[in-house]
Amino acid sequence: MSTFVLVHGAWHGAWAWYKVVPLLESKGHDVVPLDLPAHGTDTTPIEEITLEEYVEHVGEALEAEDESVLLVGHSSGGVIISQTAEEYAEHIDRLVYLSAFLLDDGEALIDYAAADDESVITQHYVLNEDAGYATVADEGIREGFYADCSDADVTLARSLLRPEPLASQVTPVEISTERFGSVPRIYLGCEQDRAITPATQRKMRENLPCEEVRTLEASHSPFLSAPDALAEHLDAIASA
């Protein structure tokens, strides 16, 4: 069986995977859901956050494993797993982008997010530049993140979201064919996504093709709304 290291997206934490972890474990996999610095229960101050800080945190988790892992990144977590692959390629079996930002060398998340004017999150993005973070206006949270989620899951998620440091959003990735490009990548898109729209997902895949593309009929947070289907896809990827 395989080891999955799960990297959440902006504003979220390891809690986002709480339904998926036991499903993957029941299939025999080891699963490591991470809280990125300044997310979830991590107490790192926002002003200390850099993209490199994220990468080092994920890299430590990779180095703690005895075998290469499937590194899964959701949403902005795609930026982090790409940069991590550049620096820790030998520890990664495959990269899995779950409705995630897939950036080429020199690109930053904000380049795609700002251009996606159909994105509910872009429309409700609230920047606090002086404090170094961004939030999402309350009226955009459910439609943008959790359009097909239960009321209970939306209530839970709202209580756990935290301000997002700007580091992973404005810092360009620095990746190479020799390092990042040596790790196979799979894209698992969400066809009802209102945060990173399907059109933006396709554009990123056209610019930086993946070895395999899979799709879920779900909005931006399938770990909450479609955990069984998501776990089936991840298990199939691990078994390929």
Side-chain angles (χ1 to χ4, degrees), residues 17-48:
W17 307 100
Y18 84 97
K19 294 183 181 182
V20 176
V21 170
L23 293 173
L24 289 174
E25 289 177 339
S26 72
K27 298 177 185 297
H29 302 294
D30 293 325
V31 189
V32 182
L34 300 179
D35 269 334
L36 292 173
H39 295 76
T41 61
D42 186 271
T43 58
T44 305
I46 285 176
E47 59 270 19
E48 294 181 11

Side-chain angles (χ1 to χ4, degrees), residues 137-205:
D138 187 68
E139 59 268 26
I141 288 176
R142 178 160 201 157
E143 184 184 359
F145 290 141
Y146 314 117
D148 56 350
C149 296
S150 69
D151 291 344
D153 280 334
V154 174
T155 299
L156 173 66
R158 282 182 183 275
S159 73
L160 295 172
L161 296 174
R162 292 181 58 182
E164 178 64 25
L166 298 180
S168 68
Q169 301 188 353
V170 301
T171 306
V173 297
E174 297 180 5
I175 54 177
S176 66
T177 302
E178 294 75 20
R179 297 287 293 169
F180 163 78
S182 70
V183 184
R185 51 186 179 269
I186 297 99
Y187 200 96
L188 181 49
C190 293
E191 289 297 292
Q192 300 170 24
D193 201 327
R194 302 178 190 179
I196 306 174
T197 62
T200 294
Q201 294 177 43
R202 287 191 293 271
K203 181 180 179 181
M204 290 187 291
R205 295 197 303 265

Side-chain angles (χ1 to χ4, degrees), residues 115-136:
D116 192 351
D117 55 12
E118 296 296 317
S119 165
V120 173
I121 300 305
T122 296
Q123 295 166 9
H124 293 87
Y125 186 84
V126 181
L127 175 64
N128 188 329
E129 194 167 1
D130 290 341
Y133 66 76
T135 56
V136 178

Side-chain angles (χ1 to χ4, degrees), residues 84-141:
T84 300
E86 179 67 20
E87 302 184 32
Y88 296 88
E90 60 276 8
H91 295 280
I92 305 169
D93 180 63
R94 276 163 289 177
L95 297 167
V96 182
Y97 294 82
L98 174 60
S99 224
F101 286 97
L102 174 62
L103 308 181
D104 207 345
D105 182 53
E107 293 181 332
L109 181 157
I110 197 68
D111 299 332
Y112 280 98
D116 192 351
D117 55 12
E118 296 296 317
S119 165
V120 173
I121 300 305
T122 296
Q123 295 166 9
H124 293 87
Y125 186 84
V126 181
L127 175 64
N128 188 329
E129 194 167 1
D130 290 341
Y133 66 76
T135 56
V136 178
D138 187 68
E139 59 268 26
I141 288 176

Side-chain angles (χ1 to χ4, degrees), residues 1-6 20-21 23-33 62 65-72 91-96 186 231-240:
M1 293 291 101
S2 300
T3 298
F4 287 90
V5 174
L6 307 178
V20 176
V21 170
L23 293 173
L24 289 174
E25 289 177 339
S26 72
K27 298 177 185 297
H29 302 294
D30 293 325
V31 189
V32 182
L62 301 185
E65 299 299 323
D66 294 330
E67 60 182 7
S68 59
V69 310
L70 279 81
L71 183 58
V72 181
H91 295 280
I92 305 169
D93 180 63
R94 276 163 289 177
L95 297 167
V96 182
I186 297 99
E232 288 294 335
H233 275 289
L234 294 176
D235 181 53
I237 290 168
S239 301

